[in-house]
């Protein structure tokens, strides 16, 4: 079962300057991908709007993160007082479980806003063997590993 829901009062903060909204696509989660849209608004022009996200597991451990500074969009974000930025992660390298998302907005140097645990989603990883151990034992990140065996 896949759910995308707001879990914090700050999830949609109308009249707030900074991060004003966020949405995870349930359709993309069902397909094994993440599509996260983040809306922001600021009272003055942000010269280098930089947005980021971190995904946390059920034990509050950070699992993965990305931002527009270290993974820049194809076209650079123009100076702006607001807009919506969408990040895609395909495939989403997680095992099945519940996850939370925290968001950041900066001007490329100084933080402007932080929306902690603003979203929660349940993810069902595709093509999972029935005997997979819990993520508390193997970690939440699912990597595409290839193993080779050589006879001695």
């Amino acid at each position: 079962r896949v759910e995308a829901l707001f879990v914090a009062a700050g999830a949609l903060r109308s009249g707030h300057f900074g991060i004003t909204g966020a949405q995870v696509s349930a359709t993309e989660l069902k397909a094994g991908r993440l599509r996260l849209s983040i809306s922001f608004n600021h009272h003055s022009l942000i010269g280098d709007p930089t947005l980021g996200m971190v995904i946390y597991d059920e034990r509050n451990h950070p699992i993965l993160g990305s931002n527009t500074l270290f993974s820049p969009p194809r076209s650079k974000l123009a100076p702006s007082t607001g807009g919506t930025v969408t990040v895609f992660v395909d495939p989403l390298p997680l095992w099945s479980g519940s996850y939370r998302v925290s968001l950041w907005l900066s001007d490329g140097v100084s933080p402007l806003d932080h929306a902690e645990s603003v979203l929660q989603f349940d993810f069902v990883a595709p093509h999972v063997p029935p005997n997979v151990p819990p993520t508390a034992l193997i970690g939440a990140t699912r990597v595409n590993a290839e193993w080779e065996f050589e006879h001695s």
Side-chain angles (χ1 to χ4, degrees):
R1 191 174 137 191
V2 178
E3 294 180 25
L5 54 115
F6 295 108
V7 295
L12 287 172
R13 304 180 294 186
S14 61
H16 177 81
F17 291 113
I19 297 166
T20 57
Q23 183 175 6
V24 170
S25 166
T27 302
E28 292 295 321
L29 283 176
K30 287 179 185 176
R33 301 180 293 260
L34 175 69
R35 178 189 168 113
L36 168 64
S37 297
I38 307 165
S39 300
F40 70 99
N41 189 7
H42 204 265
H43 55 82
S44 60
L45 188 69
I46 303 172
D48 185 13
T50 304
L51 288 107
M53 62 91 178
V54 175
I55 297 176
Y56 296 84
D57 67 10
E58 295 169 316
R59 293 172 315 284
N60 204 32
H61 296 139
I63 301 305
L64 62 91
S66 182
N67 64 49
T68 58
L69 182 63
F70 300 128
S71 299
R74 288 185 196 113
S75 56
K76 184 173 170 48
L77 295 176
S80 178
T81 58
T84 300
V85 175
T86 301
V87 62
F88 300 92
V89 181
D90 182 16
L92 184 57
L94 301 175
W95 291 105
S96 298
S98 293
Y99 297 92
R100 291 178 304 99
V101 181
S102 292
L103 306 171
W104 283 263
L105 169 67
S106 82
D107 60 8
V109 177
S110 302
L112 300 173
D113 195 14
H114 172 218
E116 188 166 343
S117 298
V118 73
L119 292 172
Q120 176 179 314
F121 63 88
D122 295 328
F123 182 65
V124 178
H127 315 295
V128 175
N131 59 345
V132 127
T135 57
L137 297 175
I138 62 170
T141 305
R142 185 177 182 186
V143 297
N144 292 325
E146 291 186 26
W147 291 67
E148 292 184 1
F149 176 72
E150 293 183 24
H151 292 278
S152 46

